[in-house]
Amino acid sequence: MRECRVELQLAQEQIKNLYTFKLLLLGAGESGKSTILKQIKLINRWEPSALDKEEVARGLKINIFDCLQNLLEQSRKFEYKMDPDDEETRKQILRITDDCEDFLNPETAKKIRKLLDTDAVKSTLARKNEFWLLESFDYLMESLERIADPAFEPTEDDLVMARVRTTGIVKTNFDHKVVEEPKVVHFEVVDVGGQRSERKKWIHCFDNVNAIMFVNNLAGYNKRLFEDQSGNRMQESLDLFESVVNNPSFKDIPIYLIMNKKDLFEQQVHTGDVRQYFGEFDGDVKDTREVSYFTVVISRILLGRESFELNLTCK
């Protein structure tokens, strides 16, 4: 009887494995892959716990701090002057090194709002393609006072917009109901950090992969890297994409290319000339369809296949 139970358990496990799909979510830092994963979870009726909300609230405050510190440091490097009170606020923020998430409160939010109205900060923001800044910066500043409120409770939009850098390997499992047998299909989505320091961990995720979703930040063509402010996000993503598609481990594995942040791309293509970053582009720089198609062509060349799955997404 015991042997029968063991055989039955093994058979059940084998059947389950037949309907379990492992998806590897890859992309460079700030491509938006973790945001896509959060959206997948929300679609599948994920209910964030109190701990999840606490982490998001903390993450949003750190996002604000990181952006402000870099923005104000750049304004100093650009030698933009401020009046004495604003200069003192700038110095105070730049001096903070520990407990950065604790610095934000209603009082500091007022000082930050005043800084944002200075000519120095406005002039620095006009040159934001020259340094690193989160693409959610405008959202963060619009929500500044709300996030600084001690009673702040993250919304669903906050859950999606919070930028928490992925470190290590994050596995998310969910079931998708289907009409026919086996009634339920199991998915395991594996998200790994996209920053350069995290990529050495990717090799631990390569076994038994059924498909790869590679996320490319379409709006990154005129943005800088967090870990290397001389590096271009789009070029970094394309270099990484090339290394992924040429990896022997993925030779027979389907690759889905997700062109992400299409909404941001359509906004900025009218102000940032793509030819400054990709001189080989010879189309209409104001035509979003032509510019996005250009990135697709580059990706197809790197992929070395005549056809592949392409998706355009907004977040």
Side-chain angles (χ1 to χ4, degrees):
M1 288 293 292
R2 184 175 180 276
E3 289 182 0
C4 290
R5 284 198 301 271
V6 171
E7 289 178 1
L8 179 60
Q9 289 174 349
L10 288 173
Q12 289 173 336
E13 190 65 28
Q14 288 175 341
I15 293 171
K16 181 180 178 181
N17 289 338
L18 283 174
Y19 296 100
T20 297
F21 297 89
K22 180 179 178 180
L23 306 178
L24 193 54
L25 196 56
L26 299 180
E30 297 182 62
S31 60
K33 57 187 179 57
S34 296
T35 301
I36 287 175
L37 178 57
K38 282 187 280 189
Q39 290 174 317
I40 290 173
K41 291 165 70 175
L42 288 168
I43 289 170
N44 284 275
R45 304 183 185 281
W46 171 61
E47 290 291 339
S49 65
L51 187 61
D52 291 325
K53 291 181 179 180
E54 185 179 315
E55 182 182 348
V56 166
R58 181 175 180 273
L60 288 167
K61 291 175 182 178
I62 292 174
N63 292 164
I64 290 172
F65 175 78
D66 286 345
C67 287
L68 280 175
Q69 270 215 329
N70 207 41
L71 175 63
L72 295 176
E73 177 61 23
Q74 291 299 324
S75 71
R76 187 186 62 78
K77 287 181 178 179
F78 293 153
E79 298 184 349
Y80 293 139
K81 305 299 181 184
M82 294 183 175
D83 67 37
D85 287 345
D86 292 330
E87 180 60 36
E88 182 56 34
T89 302
R90 174 162 67 176
K91 288 179 179 178
Q92 288 175 358
I93 293 175
L94 290 176
R95 281 197 295 262
I96 297 171
T97 56
D98 299 317
D99 300 322
C100 58
E101 69 269 24
D102 295 330
F103 95 105
L104 188 61
N105 55 54
E107 187 61 33
T108 55
K110 289 179 183 178
K111 292 181 180 180
I112 293 167
R113 184 63 66 194
K114 188 169 181 288
L115 277 182
L116 293 172
D117 286 332
T118 62
D119 290 338
V121 171
K122 288 179 180 178
S123 297
T124 306
L125 283 171
R127 301 171 62 179
K128 62 184 178 182
N129 62 312
E130 298 178 37
F131 57 93
W132 173 85
L133 201 64
L134 278 176
E135 284 157 334
S136 58
F137 178 75
D138 289 344
Y139 177 86
L140 294 171
M141 293 304 100
E142 288 170 5
S143 307
L144 179 64
E145 287 78 10
R146 183 172 60 86
I147 296 172
D149 190 325
F152 170 61
E153 180 84 7
T155 65
E156 187 172 300
D157 282 344
D158 293 330
L159 291 169
V160 173
M161 296 298 289
R163 164 67 174 147
V164 180
R165 291 184 187 89
T166 306
T167 57
I169 300 168
V170 178
K171 296 182 179 181
T172 301
N173 292 280
F174 61 90
D175 295 335
H176 182 71
K177 293 182 179 179
V178 292
V179 176
E180 299 178 352
E181 292 295 337
K183 300 297 185 183
V184 174
V185 177
H186 309 280
F187 287 92
E188 179 183 69
V189 182
V190 182
D191 181 19
V192 288
Q195 263 80 27
R196 292 173 180 175
S197 60
E198 293 293 319
R199 294 174 196 166
K200 59 182 179 291
K201 302 172 186 175
W202 286 14
I203 194 170
H204 303 296
C205 310
F206 289 176
D207 292 338
N208 304 315
V209 173
N210 297 104
I212 293 171
M213 292 190 293
F214 189 95
V215 183
N216 179 36
N217 179 1
L218 194 58
Y221 72 90
N222 65 345
K223 298 292 193 306
R224 302 292 180 176
L225 296 171
F226 173 78
E227 62 266 47
D228 175 12
Q229 296 205 34
S230 65
N232 178 275
R233 288 188 202 175
M234 176 71 82
Q235 191 59 59
E236 177 84 357
S237 183
L238 290 172
D239 291 344
L240 182 59
F241 183 61
E242 184 175 21
S243 69
V244 168
V245 298
N246 289 323
N247 190 313
S249 301
F250 303 142
K251 181 181 177 182
D252 299 316
I253 294 175
I255 297 175
Y256 298 86
L257 177 61
I258 312 295
M259 290 294 195
N260 199 23
K261 306 190 181 183
K262 174 176 173 282
D263 53 342
L264 295 176
F265 165 74
E266 289 177 342
Q267 293 171 19
Q268 71 188 37
V269 76
H270 298 290
T271 57
D273 190 339
V274 70
R275 287 176 300 198
Q276 292 180 351
Y277 309 93
F278 296 92
E280 59 269 41
F281 177 69
D282 60 359
D284 181 355
V285 295
K286 303 300 182 185
D287 189 324
T288 57
R289 290 173 63 87
E290 280 198 42
V291 180
S292 58
Y293 180 72
F294 169 71
T295 61
V296 172
V297 170
I298 292 177
S299 302
R300 188 171 67 185
I301 292 170
L302 294 178
L303 190 58
R305 304 177 187 177
E306 283 301 313
S307 62
F308 62 98
E309 192 72 26
L310 170 73
N311 287 279
L312 294 172
T313 58
C314 290
K315 289 184 180 179

